[in-house]
Amino acid sequence: GVPEGGLIFATSGSLYGTTEAGGAGNGTVFELRPSQDSWTLNTIYTFPGPGVPGPAASLALDGAGNIYGTTLSGPPQYPPCEGSVFELSRLNGAWNYMLLHCFTGGSDGGQPYSPVTMDRYGNLYGTAFEGGANGDGVVWEISR
C-alpha cells in the first residue's frame, strides 16, 4: 500500500517501484514485467518490521541492474535508524538486500524522502528532511 514513489524503467522493459506500507511487513520494492497484453507483478523485497514507514521515493538503477533506494525508517535490527539507503542486487535469481547507510537524525540527516540520484561513477546522492547543522535537513552522498 501507499505507492508514493514514481516508477523507473529498466532496459529489460520492466518497471520498478516502491510501496511505503504493506507487503508482509514494512513496505515493498516491486517489479512490473510486461507480459503479452498485460503486466505481471512481482514483489522482489519486503521490508521487515511492522508499524514504521518504508520506502516513499522512487528508485535508481545502475548499469548492472542493481536497485538503490531510501526508506523513512531503518531495519529493526539497527535502531535507532531515522531512515536508510539500501541496495538490492540479484544473485542466482534472488534479490539480496544490503544496508548502505542508517541515518541517525544528527549531522548526517534523517527521514530521506527524496529519491536516490546516481552519477556516472556510481556515487549516490539525495536529501534528508531532518538533521544537519541547523536541524533543517541535509544533502547526502555515498561514494562508491
Side-chain angles (χ1 to χ4, degrees):
V2 194
E4 290 183 15
L7 298 171
I8 59 170
F9 258 113
T11 56
S12 66
S14 290
L15 289 165
Y16 291 95
T18 63
T19 64
E20 186 178 339
N26 186 27
T28 66
V29 175
F30 63 86
E31 174 188 30
L32 288 168
R33 181 176 295 150
S35 175
Q36 295 179 344
D37 294 333
S38 64
W39 294 84
T40 301
L41 173 65
N42 180 28
T43 300
I44 62 173
Y45 188 77
T46 297
F47 293 88
V52 291
S58 57
L59 302 164
L61 191 65
D62 70 12
N66 300 313
I67 296 171
Y68 301 89
T70 59
T71 64
L72 298 177
S73 63
Q77 66 269 33
Y78 296 102
C81 195
E82 305 234 357
S84 69
V85 180
F86 66 88
E87 173 185 10
L88 292 173
S89 58
R90 197 183 313 236
L91 180 64
N92 299 326
W95 287 94
N96 295 292
Y97 169 88
M98 180 186 305
L99 176 67
L100 299 179
H101 184 73
C102 179
F103 292 93
T104 66
S107 62
D108 67 335
Q111 300 296 306
Y113 280 91
S114 73
V116 174
T117 300
M118 180 180 294
D119 69 15
R120 65 182 179 159
Y121 303 108
N123 299 313
L124 306 173
Y125 302 88
T127 59
F129 181 73
E130 304 178 337
N134 299 310
D136 293 324
V138 300
V139 175
W140 55 263
E141 173 188 4
I142 297 176
S143 300
R144 303 290 290 170

